[in-house]
Each structure stands twice: as C-alpha cells, then as structure tokens.
Amino acid sequence: MASSSSSARGNYKGATGPASSSSSAPAPATGTAPPPAPPVVSLSDLIGQQLKQLNPEDLLYKDELQLVLLLTPVQRRKLSRDLDDGDTGASTSTAPLSRPENNEEDDDLIGAVGGLSISSPNAPAIATTKEPLLDFRTHVLKWFQHLRHQTGHFKSEEESRRLREAGNDSYRKERHPLKASDLFTEAIFLAPARNTLAAALAHANRSLVLYDCGLYAESYDDCLCALDLGYPEEYLPLIKLRQAACALKLRNFALCEEHLHELLHIELNQVFETRTHELWHQCEVLKVERFEMAVQTGDDLDTNDSKPFEIAWLDNSSSLHTTRAVAKNALIFESEAMAMVPSGACRVCDYCGITQFIPFPCIYCSNRLVVYCSRQCRFKHAAIHAVECFGHQIELFESFGDVFAMPRLLQLAFRMLITGLPELLVHCRKKPTLSKLWSAINGGLLERPDIAYSAVLRLEHLREEQASETVITLALTSHILAIYLSKCTTFFEQLEKSLPTASRMSSAEWELLCAALLMRHIGQLRHRSMTLCRSFVLPTDPHVFSPLNEFQLWAAPMRLQEGHLHILAGEVAVVSYAVYPETLSLCRHSCSSTICTKFSGRKMTALALLDLPAGSGIYNCFAGGNFQQLRREERSKLLQERGIRCHCSACQLSHTEDQFHKFHRYRCDNPKCMEIFTLDAMPHAPNLRWWLSEEYTQPEYNGAELIVCPHCSEPQKLEWFWAFHTALIDCELIEERCKLYAAIERAEGQLMELHECKVALARLLLEQCLMVHREGATVLDDWEFNKLGSIMRSVLPSVMAQYGGQSIEYVKYFAYFWDVMALSNYKCNDRELMQMLNALEFIADEFKDIFINYYEDYIAPKFAEESYGSVVDTQV
C-alpha cells in the first residue's frame, strides 16, 4: 500500500547511523561488554572525509581520466605495477559482497533477474589482489553492505493475501473490475520475492479481470507471469484456457492452437473440455473468415525524403540548421532516447517511458521501484536491468539523494555508460590498453557514424576551469559507481568478452575507464544534454497502482468518467529524464525557441513554432521557461548552472522584460491614481508570482502592504484576493460560491488583460466547484456552469499567449473547460474547439487517446444535436 511503501523509504533514508543493537553479537558469559560496533559511514560522511584530505588547487588535470587517477592513488600505483609486469590477463572477477553476519539467508536478493547473486558462505573464496585496497574503497564496500541491511522492505505475504481477497470480493460481489484490478496490482507489489506463490496468484487473478476489461495482451502477460512464478499445477488448465482465449481475441491463431493442443494433453473435467472445444471451433471459424485488407501504399502521397535539418560543427561545438524551408507546425525531427530514466514523479515504464499502463514490476527490486508496461518491454530492457537490479535492491540510486539534488542525473549517466560502452568495444580489433583505449575514445572513435555511442561521446559537456568541490564530489561518486560495477555486477566480465581473446584488462583498468566515462557523461548532462520530459501526472504513489482510488476516474479502460478530465490533466511534471544525442542535445539555446517538443514515452518529436527559411538555425530553450514565462535574471541563473551564456535576440532587446511583464500588469486601486504598473521584484515571490508563495497568502498577511503602486506609493488592498481565499474554504455553499464569482469580477478591475493571476484564480475556482459537484455535496445548475465556463474561457487566451497553443499547459487548462461542457449545456464555438483538438497533437499519445475518447463520449454528441441552441455567454 502507499503508506507502507512511503514509510519504508522514509525509514531507510533516515537510517544512516550505527547499526541496530539487534544485529550485534550477545555479551560473553564472563560479563565483559563487547566493544561497541563502529558507526557505519554514510555517503555524505564518506565523501566529506575525502574532501578534507584533498586540496582542489593541487589537482591539475586535463581530462576526466587524469582526474580519476589523481583521486585514486593506490589504484594508480597498482595499475602501474600491473602494466610493468605485463599482467594483461588478470582476472576481472573479484570477491562479491559478503552475506549478512550470522549466516542468515536473504533469499529476497538471490537469483534476481540480472542481479549478481550473493555467493554462498560455503563457496570457495576468490583470490583478491595483493595490493591493499584504498581506504575509500573499503568504506564504499561497507556502505554497500549497510545499504543492503538497511533497505526498507514493505513486502508482506499476509498483506498481499488480504488485498487479493479484497480484489476477489470487489470482482465477484461489487462487480467492479477496475477496482479489483487495482487491488490485485497492489497485491503483486506487496508479494515477497522469497515466496513467489503470492505474486503468482495475484497475477492469475488480475489476468481474469483484465480479460473482462478487454485488455487481452496484458491479461496474457499476467498468465505468463503467474506460470513463471510457480502457479499451482492443479490450476494449470484454467491458465491455459485463458491464454488460448486471449490469443484468440488478439487474432493470434497459431498461439491459440498451441495452447489448445496443450490442453488436449491434460486430463480435464467436463467443463474445461467443453470450453476447450468451443475455443477450437471459434478459432477455426475466425480463420475461415479472415481476409486480406487493402493497404495504402503511399505512392499517391506527397512525400519528401530529404532530411529537414543538418548538423554543423564549429570549434568543437554543434548546431542544427534547416536544409529546406519548414512551415509552422511542420515536423523537423523525431528520435528515440538513447538513454532514459524515470524521474520518480509518477509510474513510468522503465523501458518505453509511457505512464498510463498496467504495471509489471521486477519482483526482486526493493519497493518495486522498476515497473514495465508489458513483458515485452521487460525483455527488451533485460540487459540494462541486469546491471542495475542489485543497485535497486539496495536502493543505491535513491541513496544518492542524501548528497545530490538530482540523483537521477547520476543514474542517467550510469545508464548511458552501460548502454554504450559494450557496443563501442565490439569495434576494438587490436589489443587495447587503458591509455590507447582512452585515446581512441577521444580521437578516432568520435567520428564513427556506425557507432551510436560515438554521438554521445561527441556531446558538449560542462567545462570548469579548476577542480571545484562539486567536481571532486562528482568524481568520487563516479568512482563509487565504478566500484559497484566491479564488485556487485558481472559487467566487466561482459566487457572482457567483447574484446579479442588475447586482450584482457585488469579490474583496476576497467574501474578507471568507467569512472572517467561516467564523469564525462555527468558533465554532458549538467550542460544541456539532459532533456526533461514533461507530461501529465496523477497525484498517486508511483510504486503502487492506485492508493488514492484512481479506479474511480475510469468508466472503462482509457475512458474517463464524466467530469473527471481535469483530475487526469491537472498536474504537469517531469516524468523522465532522457538523452537525444543526435537531435535535441545538438540544438543551440535561445530564450525564444523556434521549436516545440512533444514527448511520448521514449519518442521525442520537434515541430516548428514558426515558418523557418532554409539555412536558419534550430533553437531550443534550455532554461526551463522562455522569455514570456521567466524573467531574464532567472533565466540567466538557470542557464549559468548549465554552463550556458545566452546572447539570443530576446535577451538583447532594450526592453527585454516587456514580454514577461505583460502577464503581470496591475491597475492601481487608488481612485485618485488608477495608473497601470508592473513590479520589478518581490522578496518572497520568484518571478512575481506572489499568489503561489506562502509568505504572501497566509491569513496573517491579510491587509499587509504586499504590493505598492510605484506612482502614488499607495499599498494595494487586494480585498478581492482575500475574499476569494476565504470563500474558497466553504464553497459547497451557494452563498460562498457567489462571493467567489464576485471576487473574480472585482479582480478583473485590477489585474490587467493577460495577467497570470487570473488564470490561477480561475483554476482554483473550477477545481473546487467541480469537486463539490462530483462528490455530491451540492449540484451545480446551468447558471453556475455557464459562469464557470465563461471564467475559464476568458483566461484561455492568456494561457495561449504565454505558453502557446502547442503547449501541454494549454491542454491542462482547457481540460477544465471540457469538463464544464461535458456536465452542462455550455459550449464554445467551432474555431475554439478546433484549436483545442489541434493542441492534442502535442501531448503524449496515451493521453491524446484518452482526450479523444472523452471528446467522443461527452462533447461531440452535444455539438451534433440539431436541437441544441447557442448559449449566450454569461459576462463575468
């Protein structure tokens, strides 16, 4: 459950002190107290101790490998000795992490998919290096052990069984398949890995529900998961029948016949035998009725195979230019991410990146942090997850959050390495050494168009003139991840297999190479290569399916209940981080971007925001907001953190803030003044959005001098704002809602034209009123719906002006408008409706399908009614 998983993660992250007393040895019989166990060093202490011993001014280096060598002196001495001895055939196998003390078995970490199984205590010890390990390395290994012991496990066989029974009751008694599916999903998440029968039963039960919902591919995958996890043999005919039925629905007749043949070799009772023959007959009938459908060849279509962009290189920097004229909203480029990691803001398939799906978790990962939308995605991602699985078991990547503000950046760099390096080594035909391989990575291999990883190596990275504390910290972290690859995975052994038989590199060399490449990738991501993929997110725990009763949103799969669209689209956040080395990462920065990007899973599509002539540059804004959404000072600060200095046209204008200020203009409420003004700065409100700051919206600030007119020096009373927030508390009462409508009208007199605050107030108003209507506290009539529709309709032009009609923000706000139209007789004109439908082309495909279904179910029928008369807009 959500509360269980959250508390588990919270307990883990707080456990950085000494080990608990329960794990210490009992006192000897003589009564002498045992010596206290040494405190376990946390990651912050580990890095802090190394920083105290290092002087950044003494670290002179020219590249990442040299910096890593400076930070690992013992490794450097050992490497020099190995090279002098000609020990190129040293084994890369080193002693893995030991088992917990007192020889207790931890089956939850054994046999993980791709994870390194912990060796048995009785297994023969593998020879280690004669050179004593660096103290830092010793502490890193101890820290790994500490993570393994302290990782929170929220899994419970009893809780899984209880949820599975609740799902059965919901399906059989309540006749609510969507709720039952959610309960079975949570039962899967809570099932322990050491006893997979609980997970097998939950998968089998969910497969039945998904079949009834029409999700046949997911139902079939659930059947396979149940069989893989040890589903009881006495129930095998039940699963095989369901597999055959799913295959038949998916029109996979060969697979259906295969399962039916399996059933014929099993002793069946009369019911199962009858059902088997029925499926066989249906399969034969459908095979006869199958026919070939005509497919458009595309010969009659106007196609243009020429590439609309090209890469230009100048002084080791890249830029994209158009090769031909590109019309507004036309496709410029599209590509799939070379590497991608979920952000943790919502549930994301770890391979394809979609957010709306039935989750299939890795049963071995702690807290079920890794989920997939299908077994196919899990299979495609197996090679990557094989290296990461043990890290997820001990929550390695999450633990970096104690030190780094963006731990996912480290995981993305890690994934770039393990994805690209094996591909690169396949092309090494000569016997490599560390120095030769590093020279090739910085030289000839950069120009290889047949190697995808070469495009990653060519990416620009954040360049710092000297080894700052941040750079040293990141280098130490790269070393930690390299130690993880050496001690906790078989990654180096896989790399050895990619090299010629006579070529072998020591484990120390592989560690240094991987640490240096990780350092380079981190520098690339800190510059402009890391793309923040934004989409809609539901307010749910990302590691369970529906702790907040998400099933209540849906009338059927991919079809929402009436009036619930704004809940699905109410929040926009970064759902994943990705790298597009041959397209988006090569764009130059401009605060007035010439492209808009659409993210749909791993796929990124860039379309032109305006007509671009041939040879013009293709620019993207890397500041997190353009010149209409952020002030120049804020943009410059964000860009400097990424090593970008902006000299775009929007920043060079003499009145560069005018475009931003048009969304923040006020009319003085002093009757003797009534001048229009804008503010330069507010101490507790970044980018002048004071209505979002708790420093200004607390009740004690009612009447305080928050905004002062620069013309007459009179403080603005903002009575409409305080009245709005007071009435919002009890908006289930019609009297309070009337006060809200009145406050909106008074705000119109002070907030000029496109003011951003009007958009925020409109959203708060509709959110609360729709919630009151949805929960049945009161039922809104057509007069109120017309009021709400007019209010939201009046602010949509402001959203379009600030974010554009091709933005996900525009879709987010008109979702409220669509709910009003679905619940009432209010409607917009055809031109506005077409604008909204066109905007759906710029959101993720799975959400586009949900919006289209909502439009067809609730909005299109009202526009098609001939008897429907035009509704006169209620003026606000």
Tab-separated table of all heavy atoms in Angstrom, residues 361-406:
chain	number	residue	atom	x	y	z
A	361	PRO	N	5.948	-5.275	-12.292
A	361	PRO	CA	7.185	-4.903	-11.585
A	361	PRO	C	8.235	-6.002	-11.640
A	361	PRO	O	7.923	-7.176	-11.834
A	361	PRO	CB	6.703	-4.681	-10.154
A	361	PRO	CG	5.554	-5.634	-10.013
A	361	PRO	CD	4.882	-5.668	-11.359
A	362	CYS	N	9.491	-5.579	-11.478
A	362	CYS	CA	10.564	-6.543	-11.212
A	362	CYS	C	10.386	-7.007	-9.772
A	362	CYS	O	10.447	-6.197	-8.841
A	362	CYS	CB	11.933	-5.906	-11.412
A	362	CYS	SG	13.298	-6.969	-10.838
A	363	ILE	N	10.182	-8.275	-9.562
A	363	ILE	CA	9.832	-8.781	-8.242
A	363	ILE	C	11.011	-8.735	-7.278
A	363	ILE	O	10.843	-8.818	-6.065
A	363	ILE	CB	9.273	-10.213	-8.353
A	363	ILE	CG1	8.513	-10.590	-7.073
A	363	ILE	CG2	10.382	-11.201	-8.659
A	363	ILE	CD1	7.748	-11.872	-7.171
A	364	TYR	N	12.212	-8.570	-7.794
A	364	TYR	CA	13.387	-8.591	-6.921
A	364	TYR	C	13.806	-7.194	-6.456
A	364	TYR	O	14.518	-7.067	-5.468
A	364	TYR	CB	14.559	-9.267	-7.640
A	364	TYR	CG	14.264	-10.684	-8.018
A	364	TYR	CD1	13.909	-11.011	-9.318
A	364	TYR	CD2	14.309	-11.699	-7.072
A	364	TYR	CE1	13.616	-12.320	-9.673
A	364	TYR	CE2	14.020	-13.008	-7.419
A	364	TYR	CZ	13.674	-13.311	-8.715
A	364	TYR	OH	13.381	-14.609	-9.055
A	365	CYS	N	13.404	-6.147	-7.155
A	365	CYS	CA	13.803	-4.792	-6.782
A	365	CYS	C	13.105	-4.362	-5.503
A	365	CYS	O	11.896	-4.564	-5.344
A	365	CYS	CB	13.482	-3.810	-7.906
A	365	CYS	SG	14.510	-4.021	-9.363
A	366	SER	N	13.854	-3.748	-4.612
A	366	SER	CA	13.297	-3.272	-3.350
A	366	SER	C	12.230	-2.217	-3.627
A	366	SER	O	12.397	-1.338	-4.455
A	366	SER	CB	14.410	-2.668	-2.494
A	366	SER	OG	13.883	-2.104	-1.326
A	367	ASN	N	11.100	-2.332	-2.905
A	367	ASN	CA	9.994	-1.395	-3.045
A	367	ASN	C	9.413	-1.346	-4.460
A	367	ASN	O	8.676	-0.418	-4.794
A	367	ASN	CB	10.406	0.018	-2.627
A	367	ASN	CG	10.602	0.118	-1.135
A	367	ASN	OD1	10.372	-0.845	-0.408
A	367	ASN	ND2	11.040	1.261	-0.664
A	368	ARG	N	9.761	-2.350	-5.292
A	368	ARG	CA	9.221	-2.440	-6.646
A	368	ARG	C	9.425	-1.130	-7.408
A	368	ARG	O	8.506	-0.555	-7.985
A	368	ARG	CB	7.731	-2.793	-6.606
A	368	ARG	CG	7.382	-4.039	-5.810
A	368	ARG	CD	7.964	-5.306	-6.439
A	368	ARG	NE	7.400	-6.503	-5.843
A	368	ARG	CZ	8.015	-7.246	-4.924
A	368	ARG	NH1	9.206	-6.892	-4.503
A	368	ARG	NH2	7.454	-8.323	-4.437
A	369	LEU	N	10.659	-0.629	-7.387
A	369	LEU	CA	10.954	0.661	-7.991
A	369	LEU	C	10.943	0.600	-9.519
A	369	LEU	O	10.819	1.631	-10.171
A	369	LEU	CB	12.317	1.162	-7.508
A	369	LEU	CG	12.407	1.481	-6.015
A	369	LEU	CD1	13.843	1.769	-5.628
A	369	LEU	CD2	11.515	2.641	-5.666
A	370	VAL	N	11.107	-0.575	-10.085
A	370	VAL	CA	11.189	-0.716	-11.537
A	370	VAL	C	9.947	-1.458	-12.019
A	370	VAL	O	9.662	-2.572	-11.573
A	370	VAL	CB	12.458	-1.485	-11.949
A	370	VAL	CG1	12.495	-1.678	-13.461
A	370	VAL	CG2	13.697	-0.740	-11.476
A	371	VAL	N	9.195	-0.814	-12.910
A	371	VAL	CA	7.986	-1.422	-13.459
A	371	VAL	C	8.025	-1.303	-14.977
A	371	VAL	O	8.675	-0.415	-15.537
A	371	VAL	CB	6.705	-0.750	-12.913
A	371	VAL	CG1	6.541	-1.011	-11.440
A	371	VAL	CG2	6.710	0.750	-13.183
A	372	TYR	N	7.288	-2.196	-15.626
A	372	TYR	CA	7.190	-2.213	-17.082
A	372	TYR	C	5.735	-2.311	-17.483
A	372	TYR	O	4.883	-2.788	-16.710
A	372	TYR	CB	7.981	-3.391	-17.661
A	372	TYR	CG	9.452	-3.362	-17.313
A	372	TYR	CD1	9.951	-4.119	-16.244
A	372	TYR	CD2	10.337	-2.573	-18.026
A	372	TYR	CE1	11.293	-4.083	-15.912
A	372	TYR	CE2	11.692	-2.531	-17.700
A	372	TYR	CZ	12.160	-3.288	-16.645
A	372	TYR	OH	13.495	-3.247	-16.310
A	373	CYS	N	5.448	-1.879	-18.708
A	373	CYS	CA	4.064	-1.923	-19.194
A	373	CYS	C	3.730	-3.273	-19.807
A	373	CYS	O	2.556	-3.546	-20.070
A	373	CYS	CB	3.823	-0.805	-20.202
A	373	CYS	SG	4.783	-0.970	-21.729
A	374	SER	N	4.731	-4.105	-20.038
A	374	SER	CA	4.494	-5.418	-20.635
A	374	SER	C	5.732	-6.281	-20.436
A	374	SER	O	6.821	-5.780	-20.122
A	374	SER	CB	4.187	-5.296	-22.136
A	374	SER	OG	5.314	-4.789	-22.830
A	375	ARG	N	5.566	-7.565	-20.642
A	375	ARG	CA	6.719	-8.469	-20.584
A	375	ARG	C	7.667	-8.207	-21.749
A	375	ARG	O	8.875	-8.427	-21.628
A	375	ARG	CB	6.230	-9.917	-20.616
A	375	ARG	CG	5.609	-10.386	-19.307
A	375	ARG	CD	4.979	-11.757	-19.480
A	375	ARG	NE	5.941	-12.762	-19.875
A	375	ARG	CZ	6.616	-13.558	-19.040
A	375	ARG	NH1	6.432	-13.436	-17.736
A	375	ARG	NH2	7.455	-14.461	-19.487
A	376	GLN	N	7.132	-7.719	-22.859
A	376	GLN	CA	8.000	-7.400	-23.996
A	376	GLN	C	8.971	-6.286	-23.627
A	376	GLN	O	10.164	-6.367	-23.940
A	376	GLN	CB	7.156	-7.000	-25.194
A	376	GLN	CG	7.973	-6.707	-26.446
A	376	GLN	CD	7.105	-6.298	-27.624
A	376	GLN	OE1	5.946	-5.938	-27.459
A	376	GLN	NE2	7.665	-6.360	-28.821
A	377	CYS	N	8.483	-5.239	-22.968
A	377	CYS	CA	9.368	-4.155	-22.544
A	377	CYS	C	10.375	-4.660	-21.512
A	377	CYS	O	11.541	-4.254	-21.516
A	377	CYS	CB	8.554	-3.003	-21.963
A	377	CYS	SG	7.890	-1.874	-23.213
A	378	ARG	N	9.924	-5.535	-20.622
A	378	ARG	CA	10.838	-6.077	-19.626
A	378	ARG	C	11.941	-6.895	-20.290
A	378	ARG	O	13.113	-6.840	-19.881
A	378	ARG	CB	10.067	-6.944	-18.630
A	378	ARG	CG	10.887	-7.337	-17.403
A	378	ARG	CD	10.017	-7.907	-16.320
A	378	ARG	NE	9.537	-9.242	-16.631
A	378	ARG	CZ	8.718	-9.941	-15.849
A	378	ARG	NH1	8.276	-9.410	-14.728
A	378	ARG	NH2	8.334	-11.145	-16.191
A	379	PHE	N	11.600	-7.626	-21.340
A	379	PHE	CA	12.598	-8.415	-22.058
A	379	PHE	C	13.585	-7.501	-22.791
A	379	PHE	O	14.803	-7.734	-22.761
A	379	PHE	CB	11.904	-9.349	-23.057
A	379	PHE	CG	12.845	-10.097	-23.954
A	379	PHE	CD1	13.534	-11.207	-23.484
A	379	PHE	CD2	13.040	-9.695	-25.260
A	379	PHE	CE1	14.418	-11.890	-24.309
A	379	PHE	CE2	13.912	-10.377	-26.091
A	379	PHE	CZ	14.603	-11.476	-25.608
A	380	LYS	N	13.090	-6.445	-23.433
A	380	LYS	CA	13.968	-5.536	-24.167
A	380	LYS	C	14.927	-4.797	-23.234
A	380	LYS	O	16.015	-4.414	-23.644
A	380	LYS	CB	13.129	-4.536	-24.964
A	380	LYS	CG	12.366	-5.150	-26.137
A	380	LYS	CD	11.547	-4.093	-26.846
A	380	LYS	CE	10.804	-4.685	-28.039
A	380	LYS	NZ	9.966	-3.665	-28.730
A	381	HIS	N	14.509	-4.611	-22.001
A	381	HIS	CA	15.327	-3.862	-21.051
A	381	HIS	C	16.177	-4.779	-20.175
A	381	HIS	O	16.884	-4.317	-19.281
A	381	HIS	CB	14.406	-3.012	-20.157
A	381	HIS	CG	15.102	-1.902	-19.460
A	381	HIS	ND1	15.254	-1.858	-18.086
A	381	HIS	CD2	15.700	-0.781	-19.919
A	381	HIS	CE1	15.897	-0.763	-17.742
A	381	HIS	NE2	16.188	-0.087	-18.829
A	382	ALA	N	16.136	-6.072	-20.429
A	382	ALA	CA	16.789	-7.041	-19.540
A	382	ALA	C	18.289	-6.799	-19.426
A	382	ALA	O	18.856	-6.915	-18.333
A	382	ALA	CB	16.512	-8.459	-20.030
A	383	ALA	N	18.952	-6.474	-20.532
A	383	ALA	CA	20.410	-6.294	-20.482
A	383	ALA	C	20.795	-5.126	-19.589
A	383	ALA	O	21.793	-5.188	-18.864
A	383	ALA	CB	20.954	-6.088	-21.896
A	384	ILE	N	20.026	-4.053	-19.609
A	384	ILE	CA	20.305	-2.894	-18.760
A	384	ILE	C	19.951	-3.210	-17.316
A	384	ILE	O	20.716	-2.934	-16.382
A	384	ILE	CB	19.527	-1.669	-19.255
A	384	ILE	CG1	19.909	-1.348	-20.698
A	384	ILE	CG2	19.781	-0.458	-18.359
A	384	ILE	CD1	21.360	-1.038	-20.899
A	385	HIS	N	18.783	-3.789	-17.115
A	385	HIS	CA	18.347	-4.063	-15.747
A	385	HIS	C	19.215	-5.115	-15.077
A	385	HIS	O	19.308	-5.153	-13.845
A	385	HIS	CB	16.884	-4.504	-15.740
A	385	HIS	CG	16.300	-4.565	-14.364
A	385	HIS	ND1	16.183	-3.453	-13.555
A	385	HIS	CD2	15.811	-5.601	-13.630
A	385	HIS	CE1	15.650	-3.795	-12.400
A	385	HIS	NE2	15.411	-5.084	-12.413
A	386	ALA	N	19.844	-5.961	-15.872
A	386	ALA	CA	20.749	-6.954	-15.294
A	386	ALA	C	21.861	-6.291	-14.500
A	386	ALA	O	22.318	-6.808	-13.476
A	386	ALA	CB	21.349	-7.821	-16.403
A	387	VAL	N	22.303	-5.129	-14.956
A	387	VAL	CA	23.377	-4.407	-14.270
A	387	VAL	C	22.822	-3.568	-13.123
A	387	VAL	O	23.478	-3.381	-12.100
A	387	VAL	CB	24.140	-3.516	-15.274
A	387	VAL	CG1	25.301	-2.804	-14.600
A	387	VAL	CG2	24.649	-4.352	-16.445
A	388	GLU	N	21.605	-3.086	-13.258
A	388	GLU	CA	21.042	-2.167	-12.269
A	388	GLU	C	20.269	-2.857	-11.159
A	388	GLU	O	20.025	-2.246	-10.114
A	388	GLU	CB	20.114	-1.167	-12.953
A	388	GLU	CG	20.793	-0.229	-13.904
A	388	GLU	CD	19.841	0.787	-14.496
A	388	GLU	OE1	18.614	0.535	-14.443
A	388	GLU	OE2	20.299	1.818	-15.006
A	389	CYS	N	19.876	-4.102	-11.348
A	389	CYS	CA	18.931	-4.745	-10.434
A	389	CYS	C	19.441	-4.756	-8.994
A	389	CYS	O	18.714	-4.410	-8.064
A	389	CYS	CB	18.633	-6.167	-10.905
A	389	CYS	SG	17.289	-6.957	-9.969
A	390	PHE	N	20.691	-5.156	-8.791
A	390	PHE	CA	21.205	-5.193	-7.422
A	390	PHE	C	21.256	-3.790	-6.830
A	390	PHE	O	21.049	-3.598	-5.628
A	390	PHE	CB	22.589	-5.846	-7.388
A	390	PHE	CG	23.110	-6.053	-5.992
A	390	PHE	CD1	22.635	-7.077	-5.196
A	390	PHE	CD2	24.048	-5.190	-5.460
A	390	PHE	CE1	23.085	-7.250	-3.902
A	390	PHE	CE2	24.521	-5.362	-4.170
A	390	PHE	CZ	24.041	-6.398	-3.383
A	391	GLY	N	21.543	-2.793	-7.658
A	391	GLY	CA	21.512	-1.417	-7.180
A	391	GLY	C	20.138	-1.015	-6.699
A	391	GLY	O	19.996	-0.289	-5.706
A	392	HIS	N	19.095	-1.484	-7.372
A	392	HIS	CA	17.735	-1.205	-6.916
A	392	HIS	C	17.399	-2.025	-5.666
A	392	HIS	O	16.600	-1.585	-4.832
A	392	HIS	CB	16.739	-1.510	-8.026
A	392	HIS	CG	16.736	-0.497	-9.133
A	392	HIS	ND1	16.410	0.826	-8.924
A	392	HIS	CD2	17.020	-0.609	-10.454
A	392	HIS	CE1	16.490	1.484	-10.072
A	392	HIS	NE2	16.857	0.634	-11.018
A	393	GLN	N	17.975	-3.189	-5.546
A	393	GLN	CA	17.723	-3.995	-4.348
A	393	GLN	C	18.221	-3.297	-3.091
A	393	GLN	O	17.584	-3.373	-2.038
A	393	GLN	CB	18.400	-5.365	-4.499
A	393	GLN	CG	17.777	-6.256	-5.569
A	393	GLN	CD	18.566	-7.536	-5.766
A	393	GLN	OE1	19.198	-8.029	-4.845
A	393	GLN	NE2	18.527	-8.075	-6.973
A	394	ILE	N	19.347	-2.625	-3.199
A	394	ILE	CA	19.891	-1.929	-2.026
A	394	ILE	C	19.560	-0.431	-2.072
A	394	ILE	O	20.035	0.336	-1.235
A	394	ILE	CB	21.420	-2.111	-1.928
A	394	ILE	CG1	22.133	-1.503	-3.138
A	394	ILE	CG2	21.774	-3.589	-1.782
A	394	ILE	CD1	23.654	-1.570	-3.056
A	395	GLU	N	18.726	-0.025	-3.050
A	395	GLU	CA	18.327	1.377	-3.224
A	395	GLU	C	19.549	2.293	-3.340
A	395	GLU	O	19.619	3.358	-2.720
A	395	GLU	CB	17.405	1.823	-2.087
A	395	GLU	CG	16.097	1.078	-2.069
A	395	GLU	CD	15.098	1.638	-1.067
A	395	GLU	OE1	15.393	2.674	-0.443
A	395	GLU	OE2	14.035	1.044	-0.910
A	396	LEU	N	20.495	1.871	-4.162
A	396	LEU	CA	21.730	2.631	-4.343
A	396	LEU	C	21.468	3.995	-4.960
A	396	LEU	O	21.941	5.019	-4.470
A	396	LEU	CB	22.701	1.819	-5.215
A	396	LEU	CG	23.984	2.530	-5.656
A	396	LEU	CD1	24.860	2.838	-4.437
A	396	LEU	CD2	24.750	1.685	-6.658
A	397	PHE	N	20.701	4.013	-6.039
A	397	PHE	CA	20.500	5.265	-6.754
A	397	PHE	C	19.673	6.251	-5.928
A	397	PHE	O	19.918	7.456	-5.966
A	397	PHE	CB	19.816	4.991	-8.101
A	397	PHE	CG	20.580	4.023	-8.959
A	397	PHE	CD1	20.123	2.727	-9.147
A	397	PHE	CD2	21.767	4.392	-9.570
A	397	PHE	CE1	20.821	1.823	-9.922
A	397	PHE	CE2	22.476	3.504	-10.352
A	397	PHE	CZ	22.010	2.209	-10.532
A	398	GLU	N	18.712	5.743	-5.170
A	398	GLU	CA	17.912	6.627	-4.329
A	398	GLU	C	18.747	7.222	-3.192
A	398	GLU	O	18.507	8.355	-2.776
A	398	GLU	CB	16.715	5.871	-3.746
A	398	GLU	CG	15.638	5.527	-4.765
A	398	GLU	CD	16.072	4.457	-5.755
A	398	GLU	OE1	16.897	3.595	-5.367
A	398	GLU	OE2	15.626	4.490	-6.898
A	399	SER	N	19.724	6.468	-2.702
A	399	SER	CA	20.532	6.945	-1.582
A	399	SER	C	21.412	8.126	-1.970
A	399	SER	O	21.842	8.892	-1.104
A	399	SER	CB	21.398	5.806	-1.040
A	399	SER	OG	22.323	5.372	-2.020
A	400	PHE	N	21.690	8.314	-3.261
A	400	PHE	CA	22.464	9.479	-3.686
A	400	PHE	C	21.708	10.776	-3.437
A	400	PHE	O	22.307	11.852	-3.448
A	400	PHE	CB	22.835	9.369	-5.171
A	400	PHE	CG	23.914	8.366	-5.453
A	400	PHE	CD1	23.722	7.338	-6.353
A	400	PHE	CD2	25.132	8.452	-4.801
A	400	PHE	CE1	24.713	6.413	-6.617
A	400	PHE	CE2	26.143	7.528	-5.049
A	400	PHE	CZ	25.933	6.503	-5.958
A	401	GLY	N	20.397	10.687	-3.232
A	401	GLY	CA	19.616	11.877	-2.943
A	401	GLY	C	19.982	12.537	-1.638
A	401	GLY	O	19.633	13.701	-1.402
A	402	ASP	N	20.692	11.818	-0.739
A	402	ASP	CA	21.136	12.435	0.513
A	402	ASP	C	22.224	13.481	0.272
A	402	ASP	O	22.452	14.348	1.115
A	402	ASP	CB	21.685	11.358	1.465
A	402	ASP	CG	20.596	10.381	1.895
A	402	ASP	OD1	19.422	10.786	1.860
A	402	ASP	OD2	20.932	9.238	2.240
A	403	VAL	N	22.906	13.386	-0.848
A	403	VAL	CA	24.027	14.285	-1.133
A	403	VAL	C	23.745	15.166	-2.343
A	403	VAL	O	24.097	16.345	-2.357
A	403	VAL	CB	25.323	13.474	-1.360
A	403	VAL	CG1	26.486	14.387	-1.729
A	403	VAL	CG2	25.663	12.660	-0.111
A	404	PHE	N	23.092	14.606	-3.365
A	404	PHE	CA	22.894	15.323	-4.614
A	404	PHE	C	21.436	15.735	-4.768
A	404	PHE	O	20.516	14.965	-4.441
A	404	PHE	CB	23.301	14.455	-5.809
A	404	PHE	CG	24.742	14.038	-5.778
A	404	PHE	CD1	25.108	12.796	-5.285
A	404	PHE	CD2	25.729	14.893	-6.230
A	404	PHE	CE1	26.429	12.415	-5.244
A	404	PHE	CE2	27.057	14.518	-6.192
A	404	PHE	CZ	27.410	13.279	-5.694
A	405	ALA	N	21.235	16.934	-5.296
A	405	ALA	CA	19.878	17.421	-5.510
A	405	ALA	C	19.184	16.639	-6.619
A	405	ALA	O	17.962	16.520	-6.619
A	405	ALA	CB	19.903	18.912	-5.853
A	406	MET	N	19.941	16.107	-7.582
A	406	MET	CA	19.354	15.366	-8.694
A	406	MET	C	20.030	13.999	-8.822
A	406	MET	O	20.907	13.798	-9.675
A	406	MET	CB	19.494	16.147	-10.003
A	406	MET	CG	18.631	17.385	-10.070
A	406	MET	SD	18.607	18.102	-11.726
A	406	MET	CE	17.780	16.808	-12.648
